[in-house]
Amino acid sequence: MGLRGYVADWTSVAAAADLPEGEMLEADNRGEPVVVARSGGSLYAFEGWCTHEECPLAEGTLTDQQLECYCHGAVFNIRTGEALVGPAVASLETYPVREQDGEIQVEM
Ligand code: FES
């Protein structure tokens, strides 16, 4: 762990064609999972473990901007990361995400 600078560090995590509308995929963020979702024509990126008991969020159910964890039903806003419905209380970390040259890139 070190201090983070302010230089953008965009990392390609998937081909854009591999993430259709309404789908999620899990990618690697330096050994930790990051989930990228495409919903309502927008891209979202957020940490891969549920903040309740660390179930993989990529296995959850995506509806518009909301993701329901399949383990105990916590619901998060994937744009803000906010935990909307328990049992999760802590928000998800979210990341800037973009589509560039046919690739999905996340700013880690
Ligand atoms: S691990 Fe996600 S709701 Fe419990």
Side-chain angles (χ1 to χ4, degrees):
M1 295 271 270
L3 290 175
R4 292 201 176 173
Y6 292 98
V7 178
D9 184 10
W10 293 98
T11 303
S12 292
V13 296
D18 289 342
L19 185 62
E21 170 63 29
E23 300 282 320
M24 295 185 279
L25 60 79
E26 188 180 287
D28 180 74
N29 173 16
R30 302 186 177 101
E32 293 292 325
V34 57
V35 177
V36 180
R38 191 194 298 277
S39 186
S42 295
L43 290 169
Y44 303 91
F46 47 92
E47 66 180 291
W49 299 127
C50 182
T51 62
H52 178 229
E53 289 184 355
E54 301 202 333
C55 279
L57 289 171
E59 307 292 318
T61 304
L62 182 64
T63 309
D64 299 326
Q65 287 187 347
Q66 295 190 6
L67 170 63
E68 181 175 343
C69 177
Y70 75 96
C71 281
H72 316 101
V75 177
F76 297 92
N77 179 312
I78 59 171
R79 185 177 65 81
T80 64
E82 185 184 0
L84 302 173
V85 176
V89 176
S91 299
L92 295 176
E93 190 166 348
T94 61
Y95 309 98
V97 59
R98 69 183 182 186
E99 192 171 320
Q100 182 122 324
D101 301 329
E103 301 204 316
I104 291 170
Q105 300 180 332
V106 177
E107 189 183 343
M108 308 293 197

